[in-house]
Amino acid sequence: MDTSFVEELASAAPTPGGGGASASCGALACALASMVGNLTVGKKTYAQVASDVSMRLEKLAALRGPPLSLVRADPEAFRPP
C-alpha cells in the first residue's frame, strides 16, 4: 500500500488536510460497501436481491470518483495564487 498520503497528512505540512482526509474516507466507505455487495452477488442465498445489489454496485462505483478528485483538489485550494 502506498502510504505517502497518510505520511503527508501526519506531517506538519499544511496539506493534505482535513478536507482531503474526509474525502478519502468517503471513497473508502464506498469501496467497503462495494466489497460487501460483491461478496453477495452470485450467492444462491441472496439470489432474490442480486439485481438490486448489482444496481447499487454500479452507483457505488460512480460515487467513488468524486471524493477521490476532491482528495487531489483539496491541496490546490491552499496554494497561493
Side-chain angles (χ1 to χ4, degrees):
M1 176 178 173
D2 180 6
T3 60
S4 60
F5 178 79
V6 173
E7 295 301 321
E8 289 176 41
L9 185 62
S11 76
T15 61
S22 297
S24 178
C25 288
L28 288 172
C30 289
L32 285 170
S34 295
M35 179 183 72
V36 172
N38 283 314
L39 289 169
T40 301
V41 172
K43 302 279 170 108
K44 211 170 22 173
T45 306
Y46 303 110
Q48 65 187 20
V49 295
S51 64
D52 186 44
V53 173
S54 293
M55 180 263 309
R56 292 175 193 278
L57 282 169
E58 289 177 23
K59 288 183 178 182
L60 285 164
L63 287 172
R64 282 194 303 267
L68 290 175
S69 66
L70 291 172
V71 171
R72 291 185 291 271
D74 186 51
E76 298 297 323
F78 293 95
R79 289 212 172 107

